[in-house]
Amino acid sequence: MSRQLEITIAGAGLAGSLLASLLADRGHRVRVFERRPDPRRSGFLGGRSINLALSARGLEALEAIGIRDEVMQNAIPMQGRIMHDANSQTSFHPYSANPDEAINSVSRGDLNIRLLDAAASRPNVSLHFQEPVVDVDFASGIAHVQHDHDEDLKHVKSDLIVGADGAYSAVRGAMQSAGGFGFRQQYISHGYKELVIPPQPDGGFALEKNALHIWPRGASMMIALPNADGSFTCTLFWPWEGPGTSFESLEDVEDLVGYFRGIYPDAVDLMPTLEEDYRENPIGHLVMISCERWTCGHSAVLLGDAAHAIVPFFGQGMNAAFQDCIVLDRHLEAADRDVRTAIAAFSAEQKPNGDAISQLSLENFLVMRDKVSSPWFRFRERLAKWLHLVLPRHVQPVYNLVSFSTTPYRDIVEKRARHRRAMQALVTAMLGLGALAIAFLVGTFV
Amino acid sequence: MSRQLEITIAGAGLAGSLLASLLADRGHRVRVFERRPDPRRSGFLGGRSINLALSARGLEALEAIGIRDEVMQNAIPMQGRIMHDANSQTSFHPYSANPDEAINSVSRGDLNIRLLDAAASRPNVSLHFQEPVVDVDFASGIAHVQHDHDEDLKHVKSDLIVGADGAYSAVRGAMQSAGGFGFRQQYISHGYKELVIPPQPDGGFALEKNALHIWPRGASMMIALPNADGSFTCTLFWPWEGPGTSFESLEDVEDLVGYFRGIYPDAVDLMPTLEEDYRENPIGHLVMISCERWTCGHSAVLLGDAAHAIVPFFGQGMNAAFQDCIVLDRHLEAADRDVRTAIAAFSAEQKPNGDAISQLSLENFLVMRDKVSSPWFRFRERLAKWLHLVLPRHVQPVYNLVSFSTTPYRDIVEKRARHRRAMQALVTAMLGLGALAIAFLVGTFV
């Protein structure tokens, strides 16, 4: 029988708690340390999280720990985008030619609690709240854990330390200080703010339930995702500053509701607490993290946001983090639980996938806020979907591969590059033939 | 009279202590907080610093606080490079056609002590050792300072906070956590290790005194700079790993001296403590830091290594940091001591200069370790120097502009780009004329 590893996970968020269950099911002893209080007791703190869109990669991981069906019972499938234009006209654009393929709106707080319950139900998992990993000694494999409000540190030695502690990861901070760790954090010029569309007086949804709603406005946009209680969580993605719609230009506006009415005329009347929500909710930064490699020393590894925080425009942050968990678990088994070999192979495989989904997510911002309102873009999207129906194995739109398959992100980007080169060659050939045909005709008739 | 500012400087290294004197001379009240003990009492800790090459920018700053002559009395001018090839042959390559233009080898420890003495002699400067700035609250302009070994923090409020606390700056760390601060740290694939060539038995220099010695070997190199006591500090710049010369490949070598003799045959016999030094001295990382901007909030700013740590191959780290100090001081005066305006203008001006010297320094690694041994490169260098003598205003080699002028680094990079485009156009024109001439001759004689 393979040896049992002592594993320390920093962070009991989505990735950390899922990974704890996965590794516990292999027989390892897992300790999870989390900075925040237990959300199962204190309630989940909202207002800072963009709604989650659960898709194929996430579902595969939930299936692996046996809670897929339970989570899906509370999810709301979104079969496509509903676009709201400046004249309050709406149009529906399905994500897939196959109506069974949908992304699923889930509540971050609810999902996190289910993941924690799953981890806590495994006898070989222990969860420690308000005890963050604050530093790591990579040479000795010791994590330094702080007790709540206590200055003394607990020293936890283990065979494997996993930094699943998010975009501002303390484990990564320790790697950055250790020397030789290439790292980048970038911010886009847009911030985000959450607003709300409450349920109708009769409890029903104020907008079509099974869709992701978008108000694309060129440089900025608003989106809305359905919640199980009949409300929608709206998110503004606006530039921090600039002369057009921006958080800065709203600062001097007296009539906030009037300003919104000019941009989102069909949404304003559905938002009775708009002014209050706008004033009270913070503006969040959108950060992208990139690390040259995801390991430090021979027993510490990063995954999820800690390794590759991405912008939220493809709804893939959680899905990518869950896929990291599945791949790390697979490498540990493949290397017969040799941690050094497993984490090196994991980093080599997943780092290019992290880069790829980071790039795709940033590109999708352009699609959502601008291109979806272009007839030419929509024609090409329809064409791709139709070709996919006719030649399902040869034409697979990028959106489908990202959301409805578990194909590694890097393969999708490479496939797209090959596809684009082939299309260019085809167009060039067609134009050449066309020119020849015209020359022939001209030659015949003149 | 202009108002007196309360200024907090994090770091009493080269840049921090120079800046303290500059700002004190304007009448401001300056407090400097440093993590390490006072080197004037405890002795300077060596073994981790590459020798310093003081050139025009550094000299301008020392002049401004009145210690240029004092520092230069202990400096050793280096008029050029002496190259040592694999057959122990040497050749001298002057830095400038003007023999008065030299870079100056100075001891980091000695210079830092003189800078601290200068700062301490100003009544409106206070120096605090073993009291590092560990965090900053940018909204309130408060620096959190830790007393040595004491967990309580001192809260220091001031009008301006300057992070001059080096490549692993705590002030920058606080900016990174504050959100919206784009940042990158990169490491090159080479590390460095210091060795020593002691003075001759008679106290004389074992190699030519007034030169920077280089042993270029393609992918790696060793350099040596003279010290006032007759010794040379040697620095290896080797790849961390790889099949050729690398720190990794030396790990398994039994005969260390023999290994060195194969690479640096004329140096080994001058290094009696080679084996001991190699085993005891650490291998340092070479980090490059780049920040999207050098400010955070309205009263905190970075400069020197904290803002733009660079690789040491142009000998410009200290010189660039000193120029930052001069430029920051100038902007504070130009903005009539309005800190917010001054630091925004400083960041806008100096950030592109930081990027430019970072790029030039990385390029110079290639020059030093490889190109200096190419006859074609040396021919072009000689040609450029000769053209500079003939047309001093029109042709200025990049090396001269960087080391013997205070021209902003960005202007040098832009000038070089224009120059290269002009040279390409000239070469193209010459080739065209040549081809015409040949065609004409062929036409005449055939």
Side-chain angles (χ1 to χ4, degrees), chain A residues 151 168 175-187 285 292, chain B residues 151 168 175-187 285 292:
Chain A
E151 295 290 350
Y168 296 95
M175 292 180 176
Q176 285 168 239
S177 304
F181 187 79
F183 165 75
R184 178 172 209 165
Q185 74 182 34
Q186 286 173 279
Y187 290 82
H285 286 279
E292 208 177 291
Chain B
E151 295 290 350
Y168 295 95
M175 292 181 175
Q176 284 168 241
S177 304
F181 187 80
F183 164 75
R184 178 172 211 165
Q185 75 182 32
Q186 287 172 277
Y187 291 82
H285 286 281
E292 208 178 290

Side-chain angles (χ1 to χ4, degrees), chain B residues 10 33-36 128-135 144-148 153 170:
Chain B
F33 296 94
E34 166 62 43
R35 183 173 48 81
R36 288 165 300 185
H128 307 265
F129 292 93
Q130 296 180 286
E131 295 193 19
V133 172
V134 291
D135 201 359
H144 300 282
V145 177
Q146 192 173 32
H147 302 254
D148 187 35
L153 296 179

Side-chain angles (χ1 to χ4, degrees), chain B residues 143-426:
Chain B
H144 300 282
V145 177
Q146 192 173 32
H147 302 254
D148 187 35
H149 305 309
D150 190 342
E151 295 290 350
D152 287 335
L153 296 179
K154 205 156 76 176
H155 304 291
V156 181
K157 189 166 168 60
S158 46
D159 302 307
L160 169 62
I161 299 171
V162 182
D165 47 349
Y168 295 95
S169 166
V171 175
R172 194 189 63 231
M175 292 181 175
Q176 284 168 241
S177 304
F181 187 80
F183 164 75
R184 178 172 211 165
Q185 75 182 32
Q186 287 172 277
Y187 291 82
I188 66 169
S189 53
H190 287 62
Y192 72 94
K193 187 191 279 274
E194 287 195 2
L195 301 170
V196 68
I197 293 179
Q200 298 284 77
D202 65 357
F205 288 84
L207 297 167
E208 162 58 39
K209 174 186 176 188
N210 292 110
L212 189 152
H213 295 263
I214 313 184
W215 289 257
R217 295 296 181 266
S220 67
M221 69 171 176
M222 179 168 79
I223 65 169
L225 277 81
N227 297 313
D229 67 357
S231 67
F232 285 85
T233 303
C234 305
T235 312
L236 302 175
F237 293 99
W238 285 6
W240 285 92
E241 50 192 26
T245 303
S246 75
F247 290 115
E248 187 195 46
S249 24
L250 188 47
E251 275 170 28
D252 304 325
V253 169
E254 292 269 312
D255 177 14
L256 187 137
V257 173
Y259 185 89
F260 268 81
R261 196 179 299 282
I263 313 173
Y264 312 120
D266 59 338
V268 170
D269 292 332
L270 308 176
M271 305 168 91
T273 55
L274 169 61
E275 188 137 13
E276 199 179 317
D277 293 342
Y278 190 92
R279 302 283 179 216
E280 281 179 14
N281 291 344
I283 310 173
H285 286 281
L286 293 166
V287 67
M288 291 187 285
I289 299 284
S290 170
C291 307
E292 208 178 290
R293 55 177 197 282
W294 294 3
T295 59
C296 185
H298 301 320
S299 63
V301 66
L302 303 172
L303 52 70
D305 279 0
H308 57 93
I310 59 180
V311 290
F313 305 111
F314 223 124
Q316 286 294 308
M318 168 186 63
N319 294 290
F322 282 1
Q323 192 165 42
D324 290 343
C325 296
I326 293 275
V327 173
L328 177 60
D329 174 60
R330 178 156 54 71
H331 277 294
L332 274 170
E333 292 306 300
D336 202 20
R337 308 187 172 193
D338 179 75
V339 168
R340 181 175 178 172
T341 306
I343 64 174
F346 166 75
S347 172
E349 177 174 343
Q350 286 302 87
K351 149 82 178 148
N353 288 321
D355 291 343
I357 190 58
S358 186
Q359 179 196 338
L360 289 169
S361 300
L362 196 57
E363 289 172 12
N364 217 43
F365 188 25
L366 264 182
V367 168
M368 290 177 78
R369 72 181 210 217
D370 201 4
K371 287 192 183 169
V372 283
S373 54
S374 134
W376 168 236
F377 175 80
R378 293 212 302 274
F379 168 74
R380 283 190 307 160
E381 256 204 335
R382 267 201 296 274
L383 181 67
K385 272 180 212 140
W386 179 81
L387 284 170
H388 176 51
L389 272 185
V390 178
L391 301 161
R393 298 218 15 204
H394 295 86
V395 182
Q396 289 167 298
V398 166
Y399 192 91
N400 295 42
L401 286 168
V402 169
S403 298
F404 309 127
S405 87
T406 56
T407 309
Y409 297 118
R410 170 173 57 170
D411 296 352
I412 300 174
V413 169
E414 283 170 4
K415 195 171 193 151
R416 182 178 66 169
R418 280 198 306 276
H419 184 244
R420 281 183 178 167
R421 283 195 298 272
M423 288 301 284
Q424 268 169 3
L426 188 67

